[in-house]
Every structure is written in C-alpha cells, then in structure tokens.
C-alpha cells in the first residue's frame, strides 16, 4: 500500500552564516560579487534630456574564468540598469488602466541610447566556490539606477531638485525644475 516515488529534503547553510559579525562581513565579500559604479551626466535644463558623459564600473566577480562572458554580463546588466533609470516605465491612467501595453510604450533603451561603459575588474577569489568564482550577471543592474539618479540630482543641485522616483524622464526633470523655482 505504499506509493512508489522519491523524496529528498536538504538544507544548505553557507559557511559565513555561523560566523561572528566581523568574520561574517569578510566572508560575504568572498562569496558575493560586487560592483562600483560612477557616472557623470549633463542635464539640459531646457529639454530635460540627460546625457551620460562618462560611465565607469569596477566589478569583482571573483576569479574571472571567461573574460569575454564577464565583460558581456557587466555591460548587459549595466545597460539594463541605465534603461531602468532613464527610459523604462509602466504608466497607468487615473482608473488604474495600464497604458503601457507594448514594448514601444515601455521605453526600452537601444544601443544608440547607451554610453560607452568603461569596465575595470578586481579579482578577489572566493574560498567557498569552485575555482573562486562569484556571480556577475546581476551586479550591473542593481547600482546603476542609483548611480544615475545621484548624478542627475547632483547636476540639478543648483535648483534643489531631489530625485525620488524612476525613470528620470525629461518630463519629470522639467516638472521638478519648475516646482523648485516656485519655492
């Protein structure tokens, strides 16, 4: 009366999970890849257009096994983050009806919209993974929207503009400049 089949239960506890705080912080750096992004932008206050003048990434994905794939992952993820910051957005009307019904409406960036991305690498091999590798694919998409928002806010600091939502469209920039001048 027993049904045939297989079952398995397994748990994984990362080696850093049981360490005291100081060692945990150090071991997390040795497990997860990380990125540093620096951006210089120019904002046209007449049109609200943002132009990225320089974009620099320093990435650590542990030991680099295939440099061409790592470079592609950093560029692709960073391009995704740039698009999130400046172009991509879902719009709704007052009744909650989605107005963004196609990718044309979504505002995805193309290669023409993206700057040259300067990529530098730091190799901090992980003692916890095979060959010392860490993740690389997500790293560029996470810090890039914040880096761009901070650069735009810095460029608009004479107006006291604060960037609090994405995407940072030309319409939003013009509205924020106009609101700051009323104060």
């Amino acid at each position: 009366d027993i049904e045939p089949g297989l079952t398995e239960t397994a748990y994984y506890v990362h080696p850093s999970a049981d360490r005291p705080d100081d060692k945990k912080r150090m071991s997390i750096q040795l497990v997860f890849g990380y990125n540093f992004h620096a951006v210089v932008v120019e904002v046209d206050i007449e049109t609200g257009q943002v132009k990225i003048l320089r974009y620099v990434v320093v990435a650590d994905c542990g030991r680099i096994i295939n440099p061409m794939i790592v470079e592609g992952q950093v560029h692709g993820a960073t391009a995704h983050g740039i698009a999130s910051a400046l172009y991509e957005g879902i719009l709704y009307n007052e009744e909650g009806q989605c107005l963004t019904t196609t990718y044309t409406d979504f505002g995805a960036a193309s290669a023409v919209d993206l700057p040259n991305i300067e990529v530098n690498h730091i190799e901090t091999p992980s003692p916890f993974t095979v060959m010392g590798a860490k993740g690389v694919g997500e790293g560029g998409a996470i810090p890039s929207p914040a880096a761009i928002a901070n650069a735009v806010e810095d460029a608009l600091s004479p107006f006291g503009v604060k960037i609090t939502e994405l995407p940072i469209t030309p319409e939003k920039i013009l509205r924020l400049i106009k609101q700051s001048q009323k104060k």
Side-chain angles (χ1 to χ4, degrees):
D1 294 334
I2 297 175
E3 288 290 321
L6 297 173
T7 62
E8 179 181 346
T9 302
Y11 298 93
Y12 173 76
V13 177
H14 190 274
S16 68
D18 294 329
R19 295 176 176 221
D21 281 346
D22 290 343
K23 289 184 181 177
K24 187 181 289 188
R25 273 193 290 278
M26 183 181 75
S27 65
I28 285 175
Q29 289 178 341
L30 297 174
V31 174
F32 301 105
Y34 58 90
N35 282 233
F36 167 82
H37 289 231
V39 186
V40 178
V41 300
E42 178 180 87
V43 180
D44 184 330
I45 61 169
E46 298 294 322
T47 65
Q49 291 291 332
V50 175
K51 180 178 181 184
I52 299 174
L53 302 176
R54 188 166 184 204
Y55 202 110
V56 180
V57 176
V58 179
D60 177 16
C61 66
R63 184 164 326 282
I64 297 173
I65 297 168
N66 185 326
M68 193 159 53
I69 288 177
V70 169
E71 199 78 7
Q73 289 287 307
V74 172
H75 275 87
T78 303
H80 177 66
I82 292 169
S84 296
L86 296 175
Y87 306 108
E88 298 175 354
I90 298 175
L91 300 174
Y92 298 89
N93 67 14
E94 298 77 33
E95 291 81 39
Q97 178 67 39
C98 184
L99 302 175
T100 310
T101 57
T102 68
Y103 281 122
T104 303
D105 303 326
F106 185 65
S110 70
V112 176
D113 301 315
L114 299 170
N116 177 47
I117 301 168
E118 302 170 44
V119 181
N120 300 286
H121 298 281
I122 296 174
E123 284 191 66
T124 311
S126 172
F128 304 113
T129 61
V130 177
M131 298 189 296
K134 302 177 190 175
V136 68
E138 309 83 10
I142 297 166
S144 44
I148 290 171
N150 285 329
V152 170
E153 188 171 293
D154 183 61
L156 295 173
S157 63
F159 299 97
V161 167
K162 299 293 181 199
I163 303 298
T164 59
E165 63 177 299
L166 301 177
I168 310 166
T169 62
E171 295 81 17
K172 283 183 189 171
I173 289 174
L174 294 174
R175 186 177 68 241
L176 291 169
I177 290 171
K178 193 174 189 178
Q179 288 171 351
S180 73
Q181 292 173 337
K182 290 180 181 178
K183 292 179 182 179

